Amino acid sequence: MKHSDTQQSPLSQLSPDAHQQPLPTSLQNTLDIIKRTTGFSDDMIVRQLFIGEAAKQSVAIVYIEGLVNKADITNTLLEPIMGLLTDQVEENIEKTTDYLKQYCLTIGNVEEIKKFATLYSALFNGSAIILVDGLAIALATNIKDAKDRPVMEPATESVIRGPRESFTETLRTNTALLRRKIKNPNLWIQTKIIGSVTQTDVAVIHINGIANEKIVQEVLDRLNQIDIDGILEGGYIESLIQDTQFSLFPTMYTSERPDVIAGELLEGKVAIMVDGTPFVLIVPSLITSFLQSSEDYYSNAIVTSLIRLLRIAAILISLVAPAFYVAVTTFHQEMLPTPLLISIASQREGIPFPAVIEALLMELAFEVLREAGLRMPRTIGPAVSIVGTLVIGEAAVTAGIVSAVTVIIVALTAICSFIFPSYGLSNSVRVLRFPFILLAGGFGLYGVMIGILALVLHLCSLRSFGIPYMSPFAPLILEDQKDAVLLFPRKFLTKRPRLVNQTNTTRASQYKKTYKR
């Protein structure tokens, strides 16, 4: 009989009721159900053995090729089990699993399984399943083959001073990196399985005694309410549990740096790790998290404060510089000095488009070039984007389509947009730049001010797991201003963010000794 004649519908095999059935005592029946459920997949290996002095007791080892270590299969399972010649496994079948665990298997982690759902979960997570004929209990031995990407330098959060390691796509590697930073038993990790088809491991991490228990429970409740067939990246989780679905601004902070996640956990926040992605989610997230870099805390506080001011100024330039240029050149020429106004007017002579169309065209061209540079092969992407920008800009000015000052404004805006520590906030500003240009083209500086007011009101209305997004600016919390725009020396940072953590707000009660020279 062909496989296609006996294979059942995959949807019927994935039904929760079927998976919750207990294992049958017949080994052959169990193997038949497993084979049908997995569609007789070629990568599922079944190795049947006979143990005992008379070699009458049947045992099967089931595993997925590529997920387990073949050397461990031979050394820790096949050889010990095939050497099991005692007659105890034939006289008392019920004690076979106990005998295997206590006297035969040399591997450390052995788990008993009684249901198909647990069996499939262990099987596809890199365990080898041991089935014994006559018993409705299976043994799962974790011999996963660790084929994951090595720990490398972060690709999106590079620093000059600081750790050079980043998370990988393997959940347990990521939790180990975090354990190296926080060597404390109060670092609690709760793992959940989300996705009826993908069965993705999602870990909720917090420091017990520091994190707000209400926020931790809220995270768990929202995760429990997720009903989806698959989770492939943390973005799935982010879109399903965030407070608002209709905002350009990210309300959950993401990072691939263990030191950043450790620092956020020490402030009382909660981390969400998803197996298969190096980016970890942090909740609740405030606007200050997206404006700060991990390197800020490794450098001199005064220098860091100046850099933060420069960073905020660059972000504002990136947001409103094109709109301000359009408003001034279209409606408010009297605000410019006469020599500058004459210079701009002479450059715009013969340009067929108004300033608003100029700005929109150049901004759109730059965004297209940036996206092309990101999607093209890494070896030629930067070269294409740089050469394309120079050629298109120079050709557009020479052809009289846009003025040179417009190219300068767009180039300045582009340079300032690269200063963002967070890629998520950078995307929000990129999108908002276009409505600001339209408001400036229609209403001048009045339109720009209306846009800024609407933006501030929107930011003040946002919440991240119940915490105001604009905290500590709105509401104003003076104690938290020590690490908002400016950064005070570490000696003065004795309190955790007040709204995030209301149970254990003190980092250190006092510094007992002041070093002087």
Side-chain angles (χ1 to χ4, degrees):
M1 180 180 293
K2 296 182 180 180
H3 289 171
S4 59
D5 297 333
T6 60
Q7 184 176 350
Q8 298 182 8
S9 168
L11 292 177
S12 65
Q13 295 302 327
L14 290 172
S15 62
D17 294 338
H19 286 185
Q20 293 302 325
Q21 294 297 322
L23 299 178
T25 57
S26 172
L27 175 60
Q28 193 58 46
N29 289 345
T30 304
L31 293 177
D32 289 342
I33 294 174
I34 294 175
K35 289 178 181 179
R36 288 199 307 269
T37 303
T38 57
F40 298 92
S41 299
D42 295 332
D43 61 343
M44 190 185 73
I45 308 300
V46 178
R47 180 75 161 86
Q48 286 191 260
L49 310 169
F50 291 93
I51 61 176
E53 287 188 357
K56 294 181 180 179
Q57 182 62 45
S58 180
V59 176
I61 300 176
V62 183
Y63 60 92
I64 302 296
E65 188 175 12
L67 295 183
V68 300
N69 191 306
K70 289 186 177 181
D72 288 342
I73 288 284
T74 302
N75 298 330
T76 64
L77 296 183
L78 288 177
E79 290 182 358
I81 292 177
M82 293 178 72
L84 190 63
L85 300 177
T86 178
D87 57 356
Q88 293 186 15
V89 298
E90 296 175 350
E91 295 174 356
N92 192 352
I93 298 177
E94 288 75 13
K95 297 294 184 179
T96 303
T97 55
D98 294 335
Y99 195 88
L100 288 172
K101 288 193 296 183
Q102 296 174 11
Y103 302 104
C104 181
L105 300 178
T106 60
I107 195 169
N109 186 16
V110 180
E111 178 187 358
E112 288 191 356
I113 291 176
K114 298 182 179 180
K115 292 184 178 181
F116 278 104
T118 313
L119 185 148
Y120 295 136
S121 177
L123 184 65
F124 294 112
N125 274 289
S127 294
I129 309 299
I130 302 175
L131 300 167
V132 181
D133 191 23
L135 292 180
I137 298 177
L139 297 179
T141 59
N142 189 356
I143 50 177
K144 181 184 297 185
D145 191 10
K147 292 181 180 178
D148 56 347
R149 181 170 60 89
V151 177
M152 302 173 66
E153 187 172 348
T156 59
E157 299 175 81
S158 59
V159 296
I160 297 176
R161 179 178 179 179
R164 300 301 177 90
E165 59 186 8
S166 67
F167 291 121
T168 69
E169 285 76 17
T170 305
L171 179 63
R172 286 300 162 232
T173 301
N174 295 343
T175 56
L177 289 172
L178 202 54
R179 289 282 186 190
R180 289 176 56 191
K181 298 291 183 183
I182 305 177
K183 303 170 184 177
N184 193 298
N186 287 321
L187 181 65
W188 288 7
I189 302 175
Q190 299 171 266
T191 304
K192 307 175 68 64
I193 297 177
I194 301 179
S196 59
V197 176
T198 60
Q199 296 286 294
T200 305
D201 291 328
V202 178
V204 178
I205 307 173
H206 72 283
I207 300 179
N208 184 46
I210 294 180
N212 191 328
E213 292 298 331
K214 293 182 179 179
I215 295 179
V216 176
Q217 190 58 47
E218 179 67 21
V219 172
L220 294 174
D221 291 342
R222 295 191 187 187
L223 290 176
N224 289 331
Q225 294 175 4
I226 294 178
D227 184 13
I228 193 172
D229 58 350
I231 299 292
L232 301 180
E233 210 273 338
Y236 285 60
I237 299 292
E238 181 179 2
S239 63
L240 290 170
I241 68 173
Q242 63 184 357
D243 290 61
T244 178
Q245 304 292 332
F246 301 100
S247 176
L248 288 174
F249 289 87
T251 55
M252 298 178 69
Y253 183 69
T254 60
S255 177
E256 59 176 338
R257 297 182 58 91
D259 59 322
V260 172
I261 302 302
E264 298 285 358
L265 291 175
L266 289 171
E267 289 189 350
K269 298 179 182 179
V270 182
I272 303 174
M273 281 187 180
V274 180
D275 191 25
T277 175
F279 292 94
V280 179
L281 302 172
I282 281 290
V283 296
S285 296
L286 311 179
I287 188 66
T288 52
S289 299
F290 300 93
L291 302 177
Q292 298 170 356
S293 170
S294 61
E295 195 174 4
D296 293 352
Y297 301 95
Y298 309 142
S299 304
N300 181 276
I302 299 176
V303 175
T304 296
S305 298
L306 295 176
I307 292 176
R308 283 187 177 181
L309 292 174
L310 178 64
R311 188 181 299 151
I312 293 175
I315 292 173
L316 293 176
I317 291 174
S318 174
L319 178 64
V320 301
F324 185 81
Y325 164 73
V326 170
V328 170
T329 56
T330 306
F331 295 98
H332 310 283
Q333 296 90 344
E334 68 279 359
M335 296 181 61
L336 297 176
T338 302
L340 179 60
L341 179 60
I342 294 174
S343 175
I344 294 176
S346 62
Q347 293 180 35
R348 290 191 43 80
E349 185 178 0
I351 302 298
F353 303 111
V356 61
I357 301 299
E358 269 189 284
L360 288 174
L361 286 176
M362 290 304 300
E363 287 290 345
L364 184 61
F366 171 74
E367 294 298 335
V368 170
L369 288 170
R370 178 151 73 170
E371 283 298 312
L374 290 175
R375 309 305 168 197
M376 294 186 71
R378 188 170 299 178
T379 54
I380 63 174
V384 170
S385 61
I386 294 173
V387 173
T389 303
L390 292 175
V391 171
I392 291 178
E394 180 65 25
V397 173
T398 304
I401 299 176
V402 296
S403 61
V405 67
T406 304
V407 175
I408 294 173
I409 294 295
V410 172
L412 177 63
T413 302
I415 293 172
C416 291
S417 66
F418 292 123
I419 204 172
F420 285 83
S422 169
Y423 185 72
L425 185 62
S426 173
N427 286 336
S428 303
V429 173
R430 287 169 60 187
V431 175
L432 284 173
R433 197 179 298 144
F434 290 94
F436 268 93
I437 293 175
L438 293 175
L439 285 173
F443 306 99
L445 290 179
Y446 298 103
V448 176
M449 291 305 301
I450 290 173
I452 292 175
L453 291 175
L455 178 60
V456 171
L457 290 175
H458 173 69
L459 290 174
C460 291
S461 68
L462 292 179
R463 295 289 186 274
S464 179
F465 282 76
I467 306 299
Y469 191 63
M470 287 294 287
S471 173
F473 307 114
L476 181 64
I477 303 174
L478 295 179
E479 179 66 28
D480 293 350
Q481 300 300 321
K482 296 178 181 179
D483 186 17
V485 176
L486 303 179
L487 176 64
F488 281 45
R490 178 65 60 179
K491 179 178 180 179
F492 299 98
L493 302 180
T494 59
K495 298 293 184 179
R496 296 187 176 90
R498 195 183 76 182
L499 291 183
V500 174
N501 190 295
Q502 299 178 352
T503 56
N504 186 353
T505 59
T506 303
R507 293 180 183 269
S509 58
Q510 61 180 353
Y511 286 81
K512 296 182 179 180
K513 184 176 181 180
T514 302
Y515 294 92
K516 297 181 179 179
R517 295 195 63 174

